[in-house]
Amino acid sequence: MMQKLFDLSGRRALVTGSSQGIGFALASGLQEAGAEIVLNGRSLDKLETAAAKLGPGARILPFDVTDHMAVRETVDRFESEVGPIDILVNNAGMQHRAKLEDFPPDAFEKLLAANVSSVFNVGQAVARHMIGRKRGKIINIASVQTALARPTIAPYTATKGAVGNLTKGMATDWARHGLQCNAIAPGYFETPLNAALVADPEFTAWLSKRTPAGRWGKVEELAGACVFLASDASSFVNGHILYVDGGITASL
């Protein structure tokens, strides 16, 4: 019975920004739990390479998550021609580091589009179909920066705070229709997005002291949380932000 709760066989999962890093790791974990995977990104070459790693059955769906109409048209067409999207993981995002007083306004707008508008765009497009079926799982990727701040990333922090509250809003509006909308908030993980920090011995030393677990996270360690939130095991979990951060938000 317990194992069945986590079984995703017969369900289809769309993971945005999933050609590498956290997105690919989450897609891999969902696939291992039985889900059919649909990878999303803007680079067709990267998506095809990622799909080949997952093996037969993995699909690709290239579109720009910041383009509202393109997202809606692509999702509607996929639902009509292929079938339902049962699980959505809103993972696509970006980072830009600069002192707040010097932060370029165009970079701020790009962060808002990539990190917040994308969650709204894809979430709305997919939820419209889920609502009609009275079931669905939406998992947004937040961050420890949903709750905390660090120098040089204030706009990123603002966007991830917005993702956390948008997740709560989704649950508030859509739980009555049978959807569960939650977020995973990763701590510091070894990803392409964090490559510069991983390569910085001073930052790694600081992180090891600041994190109770004493290390960087490995992207595979996010898969269990994602499978839980995508499965029947979380049928009464809604509007929750699940921190997977080695304890960094729990300690001063």
Side-chain angles (χ1 to χ4, degrees), residues 155-205:
Y156 178 83
T157 301
T159 65
K160 289 303 182 178
V163 169
N165 273 343
L166 184 52
T167 300
K168 294 176 184 179
M170 286 178 171
T172 302
D173 277 15
W174 296 337
R176 72 194 71 181
H177 299 294
L179 279 62
Q180 287 87 52
C181 307
N182 297 287
I184 297 172
Y188 285 88
F189 283 75
E190 295 184 42
T191 67
L193 201 66
N194 285 329
L197 296 179
V198 174
D200 183 346
E202 186 178 346
F203 184 87
T204 295

Side-chain angles (χ1 to χ4, degrees), residues 37-221:
I37 302 303
V38 183
L39 299 171
N40 160 262
R42 289 181 297 179
S43 169
L44 187 59
D45 289 344
K46 286 183 178 180
L47 286 175
E48 288 176 341
T49 299
K53 290 178 183 176
L54 291 181
R59 298 176 181 271
I60 61 173
L61 193 63
F63 60 83
D64 182 351
V65 294
T66 68
D67 185 333
H68 183 82
M69 286 309 299
V71 169
R72 185 169 178 179
E73 289 169 2
T74 305
V75 168
D76 287 352
R77 186 167 58 251
F78 184 90
E79 286 261 349
S80 174
E81 296 177 358
V82 179
I85 296 167
D86 306 293
I87 302 158
L88 167 64
V89 182
N90 274 313
N91 168 76
M94 65 174 292
Q95 174 65 286
H96 186 101
R97 296 180 177 89
K99 291 180 180 179
L100 184 56
E101 61 270 26
D102 299 322
F103 207 93
D106 62 328
F108 182 64
E109 295 298 329
K110 286 179 182 176
L111 277 174
L112 287 173
N115 297 354
V116 184
S117 296
S118 65
V119 176
F120 169 78
N121 292 342
V122 190
Q124 184 190 69
V126 173
R128 282 176 165 152
H129 295 276
M130 290 178 169
I131 288 168
R133 294 188 288 267
K134 300 295 183 185
R135 61 181 172 82
K137 299 280 190 172
I138 295 179
I139 303 164
N140 300 324
I141 303 305
S143 167
V144 289
Q145 268 73 50
T146 300
L148 304 173
R150 284 195 66 255
T152 75
I153 58 168
Y156 178 83
T157 301
T159 65
K160 289 303 182 178
V163 169
N165 273 343
L166 184 52
T167 300
K168 294 176 184 179
M170 286 178 171
T172 302
D173 277 15
W174 296 337
R176 72 194 71 181
H177 299 294
L179 279 62
Q180 287 87 52
C181 307
N182 297 287
I184 297 172
Y188 285 88
F189 283 75
E190 295 184 42
T191 67
L193 201 66
N194 285 329
L197 296 179
V198 174
D200 183 346
E202 186 178 346
F203 184 87
T204 295
W206 171 84
L207 180 66
S208 298
K209 290 179 181 177
R210 176 66 181 81
T211 306
R215 61 176 175 83
W216 286 90
K218 301 181 187 305
V219 290
E220 297 80 13
E221 294 176 294

